């Protein structure tokens, strides 16, 4: 069976995200002193002793349907509880029992699921016991005093939690997943795309910019392959970003690029490619990540027989940083071609990790040099390419041994890359070339001999 899930719930600003960060051992969930920072369900893997499980951070629960986002946040929390083996109900020990705690406690008692009552912000053992005592009145069993910031009491909390989890031998470790970050500007449809992938409202969708804040992970399986989809906050221009929640959200989005295998760069078909899209493409290329360009809202475009070809040419010309990326036109709203994105992801992920034998690489190199000889300087000195070999993957990195790297201009280097792609493929992944001359090799040899 897959890893069991534990939902962390509570009213706003009681320290749920701080506790999730403490349990997972990483600062993934955004922590900020303002209600409503967490909105979607955010999953993190944890372990305690022999037990492995996932904790899911949820938005602050308030039973007020007139406040913006709160009904949707509550819907996300309800989904998290339905799929969980147990619930950790976090309350604020310093604030004492509030009306919202009593409402939420009564609601949890009706859910027919084990509930552990974690009284947060209890920093000292004796002081914490006195603060926690009041919460017996919620009728949810023994309150456990703890501190998400300092870690006090979290061991006792986890000891009680694992009593409600299945035996470790019944939990099967997950197979390798392809990690896919969904990146783009605000309101291009990233969360709608994630929901279309999995067939449920996993992320809150709203026309209001900044709805998604944390990087939200979700696993999807198809034909025996597993994918971890990471929905991220929309990235605006740096000058428009104030320090605070949005700053941390965008930082999480950039980190999602770093921990992904493939990046889906989502473009709004109505807006076309913007300057911010170009900057994001540059970031993806700098990180050396495989990429698929997803043009969303294609259903809203008036088309003729030439539209898709003209639009493709426009996207390729404006996103030259990721010209290696395939382009797919979809509609997250109607589901048009959404499932085909996974096919593009498969190819890009495979090519990103691909290794090509040296003999085949040199056949491609010799063919390229035969068709177009290296340039000759004004002094009559010509560049010479001796051989090449691949030294790493993710992304594929190839070293070319030449007489002098300075004799090869940027145009010729682009030609070599294009010929390698034409001959060998590498669709969807950047290629890195290192041009090494005779002097470089001689210096390297002398360094090696000095240590013998």
């Amino acid at each position: 069976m897959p890893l069991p899930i534990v939902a962390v719930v509570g009213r706003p600003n009681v320290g749920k995200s701080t506790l999730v960060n403490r349990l997972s051992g990483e600062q993934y969930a955004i922590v900020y002193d303002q209600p409503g920072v967490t909105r979607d369900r955010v999953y993190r893997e944890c372990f305690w002793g022999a037990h492995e499980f996932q904790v899911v951070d949820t938005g602050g629960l308030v039973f007020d349907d007139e406040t913006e986002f709160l009904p949707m946040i509550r819907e996300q929390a309800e989904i998290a509880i339905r799929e969980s083996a147990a619930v950790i109900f976090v309350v604020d020990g310093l604030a004492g029992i509030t009306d919202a705690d009593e409402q939420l406690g009564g609601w949890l008692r009706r859910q027919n699921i084990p509930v552990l009552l974690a009284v947060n912000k209890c920093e000292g053992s004796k002081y914490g016991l006195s603060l926690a005592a009041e919460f017996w009145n919620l009728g949810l069993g023994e309150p456990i005093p703890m501190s998400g910031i300092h870690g006090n009491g979290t061991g006792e909390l986890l000891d009680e939690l694992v009593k409600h989890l299945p035996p470790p031998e019944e939990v099967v470790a997950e197979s390798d997943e392809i990690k896919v970050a969904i990146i783009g500007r605000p309101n291009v449809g990233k969360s709608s795309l994630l929901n279309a992938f999995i067939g449920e409202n996993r992320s809150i969708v709203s026309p209001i910019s900044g709805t998604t804040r944390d990087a939200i992970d979700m696993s999807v399986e198809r034909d025996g392959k597993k994918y971890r989809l990471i929905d991220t906050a929309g990235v605006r221009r740096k000058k428009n970003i104030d320090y605070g929640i949005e700053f941390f959200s965008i930082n999480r989005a950039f980190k999602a690029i770093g921990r992904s295998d493939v990046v889906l760069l989502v473009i709004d078909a109505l807006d076309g490619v913007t300057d911010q899209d170009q900057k994001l493409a540059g970031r993806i290329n700098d990180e050396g990540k495989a990429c698929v360009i997803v043009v969303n809202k294609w259903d809203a475009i008036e088309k003729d027989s030439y539209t898709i070809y003209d639009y493709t040419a426009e996207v390729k010309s404006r996103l030259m940083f990721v010209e290696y990326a395939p382009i797919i036109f979809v509609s997250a709203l109607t589901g048009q071609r959404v499932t085909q994105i996974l096919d593009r992801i498969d190819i890009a992920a495979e090519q990103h990790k691909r290794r090509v034998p040296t003999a085949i690489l040199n056949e491609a190199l010799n063919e390229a040099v035969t068709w177009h000889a290296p340039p000759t300087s004004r002094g009559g000195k010509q560049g010479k390419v001796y051989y090449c070999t691949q030294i790493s993957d993710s992304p594929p990195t190839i070293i070319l041994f030449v007489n002098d790297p300075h004799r090869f201009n940027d145009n010729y280097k682009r030609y070599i890359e294009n010929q390698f792609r034409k001959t060998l493929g590498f669709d969807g992944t950047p290629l890195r070339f290192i041009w090494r001359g005779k002097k470089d090799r001689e210096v390297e040899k002398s360094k090696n001999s000095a240590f013998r």
Side-chain angles (χ1 to χ4, degrees), residues 347-362 388-399 420 424-427 429-432 434:
I347 295 171
E350 179 185 350
Q351 296 297 308
H352 194 237
K353 297 178 180 178
R354 181 181 173 196
R355 277 190 173 270
V356 179
T358 298
I360 295 176
L361 284 176
N362 281 282
C388 66
T389 188
Q390 185 175 349
I391 59 173
S392 66
D393 55 27
S394 303
T397 303
I398 299 167
I399 184 168
F420 268 71
L424 301 173
F426 292 110
D427 298 327
T429 180
L431 274 178
R432 298 286 189 258
I434 300 173

Side-chain angles (χ1 to χ4, degrees), residues 16 52 131 236 302 307 339 355 382:
K16 298 182 298 300
E52 292 186 63
L131 289 177
R236 297 193 299 161
E302 293 185 9
T307 304
T339 57
R355 277 190 173 270
Q382 186 179 32

Side-chain angles (χ1 to χ4, degrees), residues 11 63 89 91 96-110 134-135 137-138 140:
R11 59 184 178 80
F63 292 83
F89 177 25
V91 293
I97 296 178
T98 67
D99 291 342
D101 292 327
E102 291 181 342
Q103 278 186 308
L104 184 50
W107 180 71
L108 286 172
R109 285 196 299 272
R110 297 191 295 271
E134 177 186 357
F135 289 88
N137 295 325
L138 289 177
L140 288 168

Side-chain angles (χ1 to χ4, degrees), residues 13 56 94 114 124 134 147 236 272-273 300 320 325 393 449:
N13 265 38
V56 51
L94 294 177
E134 177 186 357
S147 168
R236 297 193 299 161
V273 178
M320 294 185 66
D393 55 27
S449 63

Side-chain angles (χ1 to χ4, degrees), residues 1-4 50-52 165-173:
M1 63 181 294
L3 294 180
H51 290 266
E52 292 186 63
L165 302 182
E169 57 270 16
E170 294 183 13
V171 177
V172 180

Side-chain angles (χ1 to χ4, degrees), residues 154-175:
T154 52
E156 289 79 359
L157 175 64
L158 288 168
D159 286 340
E160 290 299 316
L161 172 64
V162 296
K163 295 177 182 178
H164 303 286
L165 302 182
E169 57 270 16
E170 294 183 13
V171 177
V172 180
E174 297 286 340
S175 61

